[in-house]
Amino acid sequence: MNNKPWNNRLRKAGKLSLLIFLYSLSLTSLVMAQSIKTLNDSNSKTISFGNQKLKLTLDYNRKANISLLEVNGQKVMEGKAGIYSEIKTASGIYNTLNLSTQPIISIDKNIIKIKGIRYGDKDVIINETWEFITSEKDVKFNVERSFSNPATIEEASIPSFNFSSINTWEGAYQGYGGLAWFYLFNEKLATYGVHTNSSKFWNSKTRNGLSVLVDAPGKQVAMKYSRTNNDQLAYGVTVSDQEMIPRYDAGTNRKRFIRQNTNVWSAFRVSSEKTTQKITLSYFDFDKEYGRGKYVGMNGQQVSSVLNTIARIGVIDAKHFGGNSWHTPYGPICLHEQYIAQLGLAINDNSYLQGYQECLDFYRDNAIKPDGRVWARWAYNNVDIMPGEVTDKGFYEAQWGYLMDSNPDLVTNVAELFDQTGDIKWVKTHQLSSEKALDYIIKRDSDGDGLVEMMTDSYKDKRGSDWIDIIWAAYENAFVNAKLYFALTKWAVIEHELNNDLKAKQYEDFAAKLKRSFNKPTTEGGFWDEEKQCYVHWLDKDKSVHGRNMVTPVNFMAIAYGICDDEKKTKIILDNIETQMQQEKLFFWPLTMSSYAPGEGKEEQFPFPFYENGDLFLSWGAVAVKAYANYKPELALKYVRNVMERHSKDGLAYQRYGRVKQDGLGDDILSGNSLSVVGLYQAIYGINPLYNRFYLNPHITKDLAGTIIKYNYRDQKLDVGLEMSKYSVSNGKHQIISKKDFGFFSKDNKLFYFNGYEAKSSLIADTKSSKSLILEVKDWSNNKMVLNVSSTDNKMEKINFSVYHLTPNTSYNITRRGKKTLNVKSDAEGKFTYGDVVLIEPVEVVISKQ
């Protein structure tokens, strides 16, 4: 056969392909050249430069100042003071807006360098060199800096960014997952300081976002945000040898948010050595970066707004995560809150998860006493401490009493964060500390009934023991024991994963004993009140019963955490609560449905309703939604919508809501105000990331059908589809569809299906290539499995299917398109593997036991 003509065609085709490639390359270069522009006006001494998304103007007329910054066409900064360097010493304020000499400019294509930036006084002279490098994706702003001699700096913004208005951006996400929310800068000179090297400014209305990333090798980076006297937003970066220390309060120096002042940081020393600082400015589309999908039957903007703002404000700083806002006068963190990791489930930002990992490491190393007791709180100052009970890091026991739920809650947060990250190496570093915290509180079961006791024997001691801290819950406390049960069941799973089955069994056995005692009637030493038809708050040592007033968190936790698995009791509790909710027309569940008895709480809590004796605290929304979602999801959804409606009126920026007027109250703002939305995600949409799989267990109503949630799971972007009795998860390549709950996982070319809540996969499909796969599970039981199998690819390919959890050593028939094609036998472990060809059109595959 003569191959010459064919070879000639190949050569011609190759030349054509090369020409097309070279043309594409030149076209790309042309587009880049058009989008990256640099224009020097030597008369006005300004340089305009940037790319398609960022445009800057540098003013070098005896100054060094970015006088204009445009982000995606929006002028976010314009004026004589835009981006510049500034320091304050004991003798004065000095900046690059007024230089002693004219700086020197050089331009080489997309690189601008400005040398000779000299400012200061006779005590200290600062010399800087700026360099801007523009690319398609960002603008790099590099600074070299040296001081003429070592000096004490009172305040530094190196550099300072001055945006046009406090409303230019809604907020700025911190590198550790926190938020500077400018809505809370409700007075001039309000200032918030944090330890981070990145800030992502965003505005959900314009969709514009500006990322600022600072790299200062060998140095510590801090940032601050201030509302100026003319209502601009001033953002300052500080680079120092040691971590910046807050200036206030005197003696504690932990306050991150101050009023009527911009000097949030203490003075610090600088050396005369040359330092380098690299700042990367880049644009992001807020919707693309933080878009959450298609909401049906819910106001998606409100849901997103709550999760973008309220849910994050309990993150006070790096390594300081809690539920109380950084805006609070004394900035407390309650370690006795079990839902901080749970917030991350709906926030769904890897920065939050990584930041909380670092925080829990900090708590592990600094917030656990040698005997295993977990310090209950941290704050800006010591106004709330039990005398003498505070560490140099600011952890303390509250003045109201030993709040014992800090022990199980720390463990719960570690466990729930592990579910979201799957980081087995990290959770291993928390094994001993978590065991220590659990063992400490388990030892407080002095009478061996499985219910742990508090530090006080009677309400007459007038000491708190849990989150409801000024109600005098004593001895055997249902609130704390419910939390302990949840922590034990969560941590036992991790002990198994860490190959410590003995310890896991110890915790499982104690949890089982706790559950049995918890459900006993009060006449037998349990918490079930036969007369009131609810779980009580606590039992004193003398066996007297207290908190018989339907304390909602106690009863919601009992149901949501699986302590109460009696359908009749569940129905009675939830129906009774709902009946009273309708009678009072409350928009949200209160802490108690009726009053504590006289003497059971601090005097100021009476008459009912007031504060912890009957007001509405939104922080218990997630457990309430979960309790109702399994029973009547329409009721759970009603109260989520009520919270969304309230958010549209006041932003949920309160500590609590009054019972009588249902008005916002308190000088604090709780991130827990977002937890009903977290419950929407977890219990109604059914989104539950777990350590080895993405578990989907929806409880949607008809009006939510059609919802598609975009969700980040580890390094994958998932689309979660919710139709009535038809749920799906897709990572853009593989998809699983099912009419009931299931687990999804995909790695490399493998797709894992988990039947229901099973922790081990029931089916693994190995495509051995980049081929996509769609599995619709129509039925899955030990005797019969029915699948629709298809692919979005045109190419047919053989795929290996491994099926697990079958009857060992048993024959199964495989039927395709209604015709028997194969007989296989499971091995001694109840598994078999077979190969099949996947087609574009769905093929029904039935696997049935002979």
Side-chain angles (χ1 to χ4, degrees):
M1 180 180 176
N2 185 358
N3 289 325
K4 267 191 171 183
W6 181 247
N7 290 336
N8 287 335
R9 286 182 209 165
L10 286 174
R11 280 194 291 271
K12 289 179 181 178
K15 288 179 180 178
L16 181 60
S17 298
L18 179 62
L19 288 172
I20 292 172
F21 171 74
L22 291 173
Y23 174 75
S24 301
L25 191 63
S26 63
L27 187 62
T28 301
S29 300
L30 179 62
V31 171
M32 287 182 64
Q34 289 176 341
S35 62
I36 300 175
K37 295 180 178 179
T38 303
L39 180 62
N40 183 16
D41 186 337
S42 57
N43 291 325
S44 65
K45 291 186 170 52
T46 59
I47 302 173
S48 299
F49 62 101
N51 53 33
Q52 285 186 321
K53 296 298 184 182
L54 297 178
K55 291 181 171 49
L56 300 87
T57 297
L58 171 65
D59 185 345
Y60 61 94
N61 188 11
R62 293 187 72 87
K63 66 180 66 171
N65 174 45
I66 296 296
S67 59
L68 174 69
L69 173 61
E70 284 188 21
V71 177
N72 195 34
Q74 177 190 358
K75 293 180 180 180
V76 300
M77 184 183 297
E78 186 176 20
K80 296 180 179 179
I83 303 176
Y84 57 92
S85 296
E86 180 172 89
I87 65 165
K88 178 182 179 183
T89 67
S91 56
I93 299 175
Y94 310 98
N95 56 48
T96 62
L97 299 176
N98 184 17
L99 303 181
S100 55
T101 59
Q102 177 65 32
I104 301 169
I105 295 291
S106 64
I107 302 174
D108 183 10
K109 297 180 181 177
N110 63 324
I111 302 175
I112 302 167
K113 185 168 283 191
I114 174 168
K115 297 181 178 180
I117 303 171
R118 184 181 174 91
Y119 61 104
D121 65 2
K122 58 183 177 59
D123 294 327
V124 60
I125 299 294
I126 305 98
N127 285 286
E128 293 184 356
T129 297
W130 291 5
E131 180 184 61
F132 296 93
I133 304 174
T134 305
S135 70
E136 273 292 296
K137 64 178 184 178
D138 56 39
V139 174
K140 288 184 168 52
F141 174 18
N142 302 326
V143 181
E144 287 186 354
R145 182 180 298 110
S146 63
F147 291 82
S148 59
N149 49 271
T152 297
I153 306 299
E154 292 294 324
E155 193 172 3
S157 291
I158 43 179
S160 174
F161 293 69
N162 296 270
F163 296 105
S164 299
S165 168
I166 191 68
N167 299 315
T168 298
W169 307 108
E170 289 179 51
Y173 292 141
Q174 310 305 300
Y176 50 81
L179 167 71
W181 189 20
F182 304 129
Y183 172 79
L184 299 182
F185 286 56
N186 50 8
E187 59 183 295
K188 295 178 179 180
L189 301 184
T191 302
Y192 177 40
V194 293
H195 298 88
T196 185
N197 70 335
S198 70
S199 189
K200 299 182 80 169
F201 296 89
W202 56 271
N203 188 310
S204 63
K205 298 178 182 64
T206 65
R207 291 179 48 177
N208 290 331
L210 174 67
S211 173
V212 181
L213 176 63
V214 180
D215 179 22
K219 303 293 181 181
Q220 299 290 319
V221 180
M223 297 178 177
K224 68 174 183 177
Y225 308 83
S226 302
R227 179 173 180 170
T228 67
N229 273 320
N230 58 353
D231 289 327
Q232 290 182 312
L233 171 62
Y235 158 60
V237 177
T238 303
V239 178
S240 57
D241 292 331
Q242 305 296 325
E243 181 178 288
M244 294 296 292
I245 299 172
R247 184 176 292 266
Y248 308 100
D249 292 307
T252 57
N253 301 98
R254 298 190 291 264
K255 184 171 285 189
R256 269 64 168 181
F257 182 74
I258 60 176
R259 294 168 174 81
Q260 300 299 316
N261 203 333
T262 64
N263 199 0
V264 68
W265 301 119
S266 296
F268 64 103
R269 292 285 292 175
V270 294
S271 66
S272 58
E273 67 177 7
K274 181 181 289 186
T275 62
T276 60
Q277 178 183 346
K278 299 178 180 180
I279 304 168
T280 302
L281 307 177
S282 58
Y283 165 83
F284 64 91
D285 183 306
F286 181 75
D287 281 359
K288 289 181 179 179
E289 189 93 356
Y290 297 100
R292 297 180 180 274
K294 173 188 174 184
Y295 292 94
V296 175
M298 291 295 297
N299 186 319
Q301 288 185 335
Q302 290 178 354
V303 171
S304 294
S305 178
V306 170
L307 297 177
N308 292 338
T309 57
I310 291 291
R312 294 187 190 242
I313 59 172
V315 185
I316 290 179
D317 195 357
K319 303 177 183 178
H320 292 78
F321 283 49
N324 296 64
S325 165
W326 45 262
H327 188 263
T328 308
Y330 70 104
I333 289 172
C334 295
L335 276 74
H336 54 117
E337 288 176 326
Q338 79 278 33
Y339 41 70
I340 307 304
Q342 189 184 20
L343 290 168
L345 179 148
I347 291 172
N348 196 216
D349 181 357
N350 196 50
S351 295
Y352 183 94
L353 303 185
Q354 290 179 346
Y356 195 36
Q357 277 189 326
E358 293 179 4
C359 170
L360 289 173
D361 290 346
F362 182 69
Y363 291 174
R364 175 198 63 206
D365 299 338
N366 297 282
I368 303 178
K369 300 179 186 181
D371 63 358
R373 167 68 184 146
V374 177
W375 291 99
R377 292 183 178 175
W378 177 97
Y380 289 158
N381 54 44
N382 294 341
V383 300
D384 191 40
I385 70 167
M386 188 181 295
E389 294 284 335
V390 64
T391 75
D392 61 337
K393 297 289 194 302
F395 295 102
Y396 65 92
E397 295 286 6
Q399 62 176 308
W400 312 112
Y402 290 95
L403 310 178
M404 299 302 292
D405 43 346
S406 59
N407 272 58
D409 288 357
L410 179 63
V411 177
T412 293
N413 282 314
V414 172
E416 295 218 312
L417 186 60
F418 170 61
D419 269 339
Q420 294 175 61
T421 66
D423 190 339
I424 193 73
K425 291 182 179 178
W426 173 78
V427 83
K428 175 70 176 175
T429 69
H430 285 262
Q431 184 177 17
L432 294 179
S433 57
S434 294
E435 290 174 352
K436 191 176 180 180
L438 288 176
D439 293 348
Y440 171 87
I441 195 164
I442 284 173
K443 289 174 184 176
R444 295 202 60 78
D445 175 22
S446 63
D447 55 8
D449 65 351
L451 300 176
V452 300
E453 292 99 31
M454 307 299 100
M455 295 286 195
T456 51
D457 294 339
S458 169
Y459 76 97
K460 295 177 183 178
D461 293 333
K462 296 186 176 182
R463 307 296 286 165
S465 63
D466 63 42
W467 188 91
I468 312 179
D469 53 12
I470 50 177
I471 297 298
W472 311 136
Y475 203 60
E476 290 182 335
N477 180 337
F479 190 101
V480 173
N481 276 279
K483 288 184 168 191
L484 176 59
Y485 177 84
F486 188 55
L488 289 168
T489 55
K490 296 290 291 185
W491 191 258
V493 174
I494 295 173
E495 289 288 354
H496 282 302
E497 287 299 307
L498 297 175
N499 300 312
N500 193 346
D501 293 339
L502 186 64
K503 198 68 173 176
K505 188 175 187 307
Q506 176 190 336
Y507 292 144
E508 288 165 348
D509 289 348
F510 193 90
K513 183 193 291 188
L514 188 161
K515 180 175 179 177
R516 286 193 298 271
S517 293
F518 196 105
N519 281 298
K520 288 180 180 179
T522 54
T523 54
E524 298 177 20
F527 295 125
W528 179 253
D529 190 324
E530 294 282 4
E531 180 188 354
K532 297 293 186 179
Q533 293 288 281
C534 68
Y535 293 99
V536 301
H537 193 163
W538 78 91
L539 307 177
D540 273 358
K541 191 173 184 178
D542 63 6
K543 304 303 180 183
S544 58
V545 182
H546 300 274
R548 304 178 68 200
N549 49 328
M550 186 68 85
V551 180
T552 56
V554 169
N555 287 272
F556 287 147
M557 284 192 291
I559 296 168
Y561 295 162
I563 299 171
C564 176
D565 51 16
D566 184 318
E567 291 184 3
K568 183 180 177 181
K569 284 183 179 178
T570 297
K571 183 179 187 305
I572 289 170
I573 292 168
L574 298 180
D575 285 351
N576 286 346
I577 291 174
E578 178 58 17
T579 297
Q580 190 169 339
M581 292 292 289
Q582 292 187 32
Q583 290 172 351
E584 293 192 52
K585 294 182 173 55
L586 299 177
F587 86 92
F588 192 81
W589 302 283
L591 272 186
T592 68
M593 298 311 295
S594 58
S595 180
Y596 282 99
E600 289 184 341
K602 194 170 171 46
E603 291 79 2
E604 289 87 342
Q605 307 305 291
F606 301 89
F608 174 86
F610 181 74
Y611 199 57
E612 291 181 356
N613 188 20
D615 274 352
L616 285 58
F617 284 81
L618 275 58
S619 292
W620 298 98
V623 290
V625 168
K626 186 172 182 180
Y628 274 101
N630 289 319
Y631 173 53
K632 290 184 178 180
E634 65 276 8
L635 285 180
L637 190 59
K638 178 177 77 170
Y639 291 102
V640 174
R641 285 174 171 152
N642 286 350
V643 172
M644 293 298 92
E645 182 182 354
R646 188 54 57 108
H647 172 265
S648 67
K649 296 177 180 178
D650 62 22
L652 303 180
Y654 294 98
Q655 180 201 52
R656 68 191 194 280
Y657 288 82
R659 179 73 161 266
V660 178
K661 298 180 180 178
Q662 300 192 58
D663 51 338
L665 300 172
D667 60 358
D668 192 5
I669 303 168
L670 303 182
S671 64
N673 289 351
S674 68
L675 276 163
S676 58
V677 180
V678 176
L680 169 72
Y681 261 66
Q682 187 174 37
I684 297 177
Y685 294 153
I687 291 172
N688 288 270
L690 297 176
Y691 66 96
N692 67 338
R693 64 203 185 279
F694 178 85
Y695 175 58
L696 184 64
N697 183 27
H699 297 87
I700 63 169
T701 57
K702 288 183 180 179
D703 55 342
L704 298 181
T707 295
I708 300 174
I709 301 296
K710 293 186 178 297
Y711 198 82
N712 300 313
Y713 177 68
R714 314 284 163 78
D715 57 349
Q716 300 183 40
K717 293 185 179 298
L718 304 181
D719 283 340
V720 180
L722 301 172
E723 298 284 353
M724 295 302 295
S725 300
K726 186 177 181 180
Y727 317 127
S728 65
V729 178
S730 170
N731 65 354
K733 178 182 178 182
H734 298 316
Q735 183 180 36
I736 294 177
I737 304 168
S738 175
K739 62 183 178 181
K740 69 180 197 67
D741 61 315
F742 68 93
F744 172 101
F745 189 76
S746 180
K747 185 177 182 181
D748 300 326
N749 299 315
K750 294 182 179 179
L751 175 61
F752 299 72
Y753 164 75
F754 297 78
N755 182 37
Y757 190 67
E758 291 287 340
K760 293 184 178 180
S761 56
S762 298
L763 174 71
I764 301 176
D766 188 353
T767 66
K768 299 185 180 301
S769 69
S770 60
K771 190 176 185 66
S772 66
L773 191 63
I774 301 172
L775 296 179
E776 182 175 2
V777 182
K778 303 180 77 174
D779 189 18
W780 197 277
S781 65
N782 187 47
N783 294 326
K784 186 177 182 181
M785 291 134 274
V786 183
L787 305 170
N788 271 353
V789 185
S790 61
S791 173
T792 57
D793 295 332
N794 291 325
K795 181 183 176 184
M796 293 188 299
E797 189 170 322
K798 188 174 182 179
I799 293 175
N800 284 338
F801 292 91
S802 297
V803 185
Y804 300 82
H805 314 313
L806 304 169
T807 303
N809 302 312
T810 301
S811 294
Y812 287 81
N813 291 326
I814 298 177
T815 303
R816 300 175 80 255
R817 297 187 185 276
K819 296 180 180 179
K820 180 180 175 182
T821 61
L822 192 64
N823 175 264
V824 294
K825 187 176 181 180
S826 61
D827 62 17
E829 296 180 350
K831 168 199 169 186
F832 68 73
T833 299
Y834 79 101
D836 206 342
V837 176
V838 173
L839 306 172
I840 303 170
E841 294 296 324
V843 175
E844 184 178 80
V845 177
V846 179
I847 304 169
S848 56
K849 185 189 291 187
Q850 278 191 352

